[in-house]
Amino acid sequence: MKLKRTVMMAAMLLLAASAAAGCVQTRVLERLGLVIAAGYDEAPGDKILGTSVLYEIDPGARERSNVITSTAYTSKGLRYNNNAESRKKLTSGQLRVIVYHEDLARKGLTELVDTMLRDPEVGSAVYLAVSKGRAYDLMTRRYPEISNIGEYLFQSIQHNVENEEMVSPILHEYIRDLYSPGKDPVLPYIVQRNNEIILYGAALFRGDRMVATLPLREIFYLRLLREPFRSGMTEIGLSPEALRSIASPSKGQKQIYLVLDSVKSESRIRLTNAKQPAFTVQVHMSGRLQEISSPVNLRNRQVIEVLEREASKAVQANAMAFIAKTQKLNVDPVGFGQKYRAQLRGSGLTADKWKQLYPKAKVRVEVVTTILRTGQTD
């Protein structure tokens, strides 16, 4: 009975404290400026231009967002200056997106990203991105169909990640890849055109420095090699000559395209030679045939088999071309170095050592494709 009374008393006190805290929180929110997006650009004199997009809590406000900008030498200095310009105390507890201008990303993001990671107010699930133009211009422009640029950027990136069209750019994942020997970070690359914000593709990093961009269509092959698809989509171009036995391409047609949706895949990377080094990548993918740009008899099983064979060849060639591109840039977004380190214990692999090995590595990709007709399940 004594224990029961103690538990009941503790529960009552906890409820009372929660209710009190709820009342206090309601009053405080009215005086807080909730930063939901932040942008960083270079500024004269080795300074940083910081742009903060605030969520407007006041129901009587005309705009759903407010933007504050300032310059400083550090991100902490930016916060101090932004607070001085704001009528509310700024808090980063609701920060969802951080955008870095490309020029800043090419010089290195370690200091700016580390500061965010150490900030107890900033959650680890914040999205990071790189913009072609200045983050200031991106966030201060008025868009007719966008009421809050911070929410729009977050939802746009989240949508593409959930649809498996973009590699997840969460803060802690970027940090994990940055400090993991044998794998380089990847972030979304945003382009502003007139009144539109376009997710162009991905920014490829060598360490903490951006070195190149990857078009959106090539991200499929990055994801295919790096992580499994659960319900993806892709368009594959096939040679008309290879399909002449099953299709009748029009005169001058250079490619026959087929579209696969509900794509599922698994990939396995094996180290086959430690000295070279050399890898074999085995990819198994399946997808439902959604569309094909030339009439074929899909009721004929032999037709499906030809499409599967040629699709496998095309995906293999595109994946090999993608890997060759990353080797030329000396960036490893797939994580072959991680596989090398995991399968060769005691290798003592460092980031610098892998940068010497990766461009010369031999990689062979084997692809097996299964095509399902509409209405068919695997």
Side-chain angles (χ1 to χ4, degrees):
M1 291 296 294
K2 184 177 180 181
L3 177 61
K4 184 176 181 180
R5 286 195 299 269
T6 302
V7 171
M8 291 179 63
M9 182 63 70
M12 293 174 64
L13 290 173
L14 181 60
L15 288 172
S18 299
C23 295
V24 172
Q25 184 70 6
T26 301
R27 290 196 296 269
V28 170
L29 278 175
E30 297 173 356
R31 299 195 297 269
L32 291 179
L34 303 181
V35 180
I36 63 170
Y40 293 93
D41 300 288
E42 288 185 299
D46 294 328
K47 288 186 176 183
I48 304 169
L49 172 64
T51 305
S52 297
V53 179
L54 313 182
Y55 185 84
E56 188 55 67
I57 300 174
D58 186 359
R62 295 182 180 180
E63 300 286 343
R64 289 187 61 192
S65 64
N66 185 23
V67 180
I68 296 178
T69 63
S70 64
T71 59
Y73 293 101
T74 63
S75 58
K76 295 296 184 184
L78 288 174
R79 175 178 295 186
Y80 178 83
N81 292 340
N82 283 345
N83 263 306
E85 295 182 19
S86 175
R87 60 188 176 86
K88 298 181 179 182
K89 182 180 179 181
L90 304 186
T91 175
S92 301
Q94 295 298 315
L95 183 62
R96 298 181 178 184
V97 182
I98 304 173
V99 180
Y100 303 98
H101 183 212
E102 180 176 343
D103 290 349
L104 204 60
R106 288 186 181 274
K107 290 186 175 182
L109 297 180
T110 295
E111 293 183 5
L112 291 171
V113 174
D114 276 350
T115 300
M116 289 295 173
L117 189 66
R118 292 194 301 268
D119 191 333
E121 287 189 3
V122 178
S124 60
V126 176
Y127 285 147
L128 306 184
V130 176
S131 63
K132 181 178 181 180
R134 293 198 307 169
Y136 169 85
D137 298 328
L138 182 75
M139 293 181 172
T140 57
R141 186 184 181 93
R142 289 184 176 271
Y143 303 91
E145 298 181 359
I146 301 176
S147 60
N148 188 301
I149 184 62
E151 287 184 347
Y152 179 86
L153 288 172
F154 172 77
Q155 292 173 5
S156 177
I157 296 173
Q158 184 182 52
H159 169 76
N160 282 275
V161 170
E162 291 177 349
N163 283 358
E164 300 183 314
E165 296 175 1
M166 176 58 63
V167 175
S168 179
I170 293 176
L171 172 61
H172 76 82
E173 293 173 332
Y174 171 89
I175 293 293
R176 178 199 63 199
D177 293 346
L178 177 63
Y179 291 112
S180 176
K183 193 173 185 181
D184 289 310
V186 179
L187 294 180
Y189 186 69
I190 300 170
V191 176
Q192 176 188 349
R193 294 178 183 170
N194 299 323
N195 288 325
E196 294 183 343
I197 299 174
I198 301 170
L199 187 60
Y200 170 83
L204 299 179
F205 284 75
R206 185 188 304 130
D208 75 329
R209 299 190 178 200
M210 174 185 166
V211 296
T213 58
L214 189 69
L216 197 61
R217 65 180 179 275
E218 294 184 24
I219 295 178
F220 174 82
Y221 297 99
L222 169 60
R223 280 193 54 104
L224 186 69
L225 299 168
R226 176 171 165 151
E227 55 192 290
F229 276 101
R230 300 304 179 199
S231 184
M233 184 174 183
T234 186
E235 180 183 74
I236 306 171
L238 307 179
S239 167
E241 288 298 323
L243 300 182
R244 194 165 294 280
S245 62
I246 63 170
S248 300
S250 59
K251 187 177 180 180
Q253 187 173 2
K254 296 181 179 180
Q255 293 265 280
I256 293 177
Y257 293 94
L258 58 85
V259 177
L260 300 179
D261 69 355
S262 301
V263 173
K264 297 180 181 179
S265 72
E266 291 183 1
S267 63
R268 182 188 177 195
I269 300 176
R270 291 188 298 111
L271 178 66
T272 55
N273 188 331
K275 293 182 179 180
Q276 178 61 36
F279 299 88
T280 296
V281 185
Q282 295 175 322
V283 177
H284 294 267
M285 59 176 284
S286 66
R288 184 178 60 182
L289 183 59
Q290 185 71 16
E291 183 179 350
I292 185 168
S293 62
S294 182
V296 295
N297 182 9
L298 296 177
R299 296 179 180 178
N300 188 332
R301 180 58 202 171
Q302 291 182 343
V303 171
I304 298 297
E305 290 175 355
V306 171
L307 291 176
E308 289 175 337
R309 183 179 68 245
E310 296 305 318
S312 296
K313 291 180 181 179
V315 171
Q316 179 186 33
N318 291 335
M320 293 285 288
F322 168 77
I323 293 170
K325 181 177 183 177
T326 63
Q327 288 182 296
K328 187 176 180 179
L329 293 168
N330 200 4
V331 298
D332 184 8
V334 176
F336 285 102
Q338 279 190 343
K339 299 296 183 181
Y340 179 89
R341 186 161 56 98
Q343 297 180 35
L344 190 64
R345 295 185 178 181
S347 63
L349 186 69
T350 63
D352 290 338
K353 183 178 179 180
W354 184 240
K355 296 310 175 191
Q356 297 174 6
L357 294 175
Y358 183 58
K360 302 176 183 178
K362 302 294 183 182
V363 183
R364 183 165 60 94
V365 180
E366 301 172 352
V367 180
V368 176
T369 304
T370 302
I371 294 179
L372 309 174
R373 290 165 288 184
T374 302
Q376 183 181 0
T377 58
D378 55 352

